[in-house]
Amino acid sequence: MKRYLQIVGLGFVAPFFLFLIVFQFYPIINTLMLSFTNYDGLKKMDWVGLKNYADLIVDKYFWLAFLNTWRIWLPNILMQLALAFLVAFFFTDIRYRIKGISVFRAVYYFPNLVTAATIALLINVLLDWKHGALNQILFGANEEAFIDWFRDPVRTQFIVSIVQTWLWFGYTAIILTTGIQGIPKTYYEAAYVDGASAWQAFWSITMPLLAPVITFVLITSLIGGMQIFDIPYILRMGLAGESGQAVTTTVIYLYDRGFRYHRMGYAASVAWVLFFLIVLFSLLYFVLAGRENRRKR
């Protein structure tokens, strides 16, 4: 009977492991093997060793795309954390006791439920310099005053950062709110009784105890930010010149090399270099955060 139950149990978990092997492990291993070839999707592949990686190291367009990704991610995470902290702070402060917090959470989280492609199309319509709603609201029929929002590359990257912030700050706010609610309220009550201000309570109680949650937010945001694709890709369709290049992120570069220029092997090497860079930055952050925590102790 026991052996029969073991077989039945294995039968139930087998689909999960089969799915994991076919759709997770196999693509990872296959991509690694592909990165050592010159496969173009059509002809027979040849083994080229480390040539793709050597080419990639001196490929200025790859590093430009990588830099673009950081230029979009950094302002995004800074604005996202600032807004999320503001929301989490007011929702959890024991002095305000705001009612209907769950409703506000749903409202803030709502943008996260809309697909990124839909958001990108909406931004295109809103910010179109000639027919966009924003210019018409700001300047009415005075077309000479209309602003070409996507003309400047830096401004275009910042617009993508703002959109990313709007999409994700609700998610971050919920995580931070949950983290703050896990801090015993007696700490705050004692601090306020001793005459501490809200700012002092925030820096002396909330920030130190919330450090693991902030680490989680930063690492997950870094991983997601380095893979940003949807919004800049759709925005790029309507852009030309420097503005179009400014929103060419690392994953868009990977997509271009693989599916537009049919350099599958090279695109696979981009994927692996991106993977190692994300791991490197994550480890670096963990080391720095660990040192800071030890210093505070």
Side-chain angles (χ1 to χ4, degrees):
M1 185 63 183
K2 184 178 179 181
R3 184 174 180 79
Y4 171 75
L5 290 176
Q6 288 176 338
I7 293 173
V8 172
L10 288 173
F12 276 109
V13 298
F16 168 76
F17 285 104
L18 188 62
F19 183 89
L20 195 68
I21 291 169
V22 173
F23 294 103
Q24 295 287 335
F25 292 152
Y26 172 73
I28 291 173
I29 300 302
N30 189 51
T31 305
L32 179 62
M33 299 303 292
L34 205 61
S35 69
F36 297 114
T37 71
N38 63 353
Y39 185 56
D40 63 0
L42 300 171
K43 300 175 185 175
K44 183 183 176 183
M45 68 176 76
D46 293 319
W47 185 266
V48 295
L50 296 174
K51 183 177 183 306
N52 287 330
Y53 292 96
D55 292 344
L56 191 59
I57 290 172
V58 295
D59 186 346
K60 66 177 183 180
Y61 295 108
F62 166 74
W63 293 109
L64 180 62
F66 187 69
L67 188 61
N68 288 338
T69 309
W70 274 90
R71 285 172 175 163
I72 291 172
W73 179 75
L74 267 179
N76 159 46
I77 189 62
L78 292 176
M79 291 188 290
Q80 197 181 129
L81 279 176
L83 282 173
F85 260 120
L86 193 65
V87 170
F89 175 76
F90 281 110
F91 282 174
T92 55
D93 195 302
I94 59 174
R95 299 169 305 169
Y96 300 129
R97 301 184 188 282
I98 298 174
K99 295 181 179 178
I101 290 178
S102 57
V103 176
F104 285 107
R105 282 179 184 169
V107 171
Y108 289 131
Y109 193 77
F110 181 74
N112 206 251
L113 302 178
V114 184
T115 62
T118 306
I119 298 294
L121 290 173
L122 177 66
I123 297 301
N124 256 334
V125 172
L126 284 174
L127 300 184
D128 181 86
W129 80 272
K130 196 169 185 179
H131 305 290
L134 186 58
N135 271 337
Q136 294 185 14
I137 291 170
L138 292 175
F139 306 107
N142 184 15
E143 292 189 6
E144 292 183 357
F146 283 5
I147 298 172
D148 187 351
W149 300 100
F150 296 122
R151 188 169 187 174
D152 181 64
V154 176
R155 187 165 57 201
T156 304
Q157 290 174 338
F158 192 59
I159 288 171
V160 178
S161 298
I162 292 173
V163 174
Q164 287 292 119
T165 300
W166 176 63
L167 272 175
W168 289 100
F169 96 93
Y171 168 80
T172 305
I174 289 174
I175 292 177
L176 293 180
T177 302
T178 307
I180 293 173
Q181 286 176 334
I183 300 173
K185 289 184 173 53
T186 52
Y187 292 179
Y188 294 101
E189 290 169 351
Y192 291 137
V193 167
D194 288 342
S197 65
W199 185 250
Q200 288 172 323
F202 176 78
W203 277 111
S204 303
I205 299 174
T206 306
M207 285 299 286
L209 296 179
L210 211 59
V213 179
I214 297 171
T215 302
F216 170 78
V217 169
L218 283 174
I219 295 301
T220 53
S221 175
L222 175 68
I223 294 170
M226 292 300 106
Q227 300 177 65
I228 183 173
F229 178 80
D230 315 57
I231 291 176
Y233 182 77
I234 292 175
L235 284 179
R236 195 184 67 158
M237 290 179 180
L239 302 177
E242 292 184 355
S243 294
Q245 291 177 359
V247 291
T248 300
T249 61
T250 314
V251 178
I252 292 177
Y253 180 82
L254 183 157
Y255 175 85
D256 285 346
R257 290 300 174 276
F259 297 100
R260 290 183 65 189
Y261 302 114
H262 303 289
R263 299 180 63 188
M264 299 293 184
Y266 191 73
S269 67
V270 174
W272 273 93
V273 168
L274 179 62
F275 168 75
F276 281 114
L277 287 173
I278 291 174
V279 171
L280 182 66
F281 284 115
S282 301
L283 289 176
L284 181 64
Y285 178 79
F286 274 119
V287 170
L288 293 176
R291 284 184 182 176
E292 183 64 18
N293 288 337
R294 285 194 293 273
R295 189 184 65 79
K296 287 179 178 177
R297 289 174 191 167

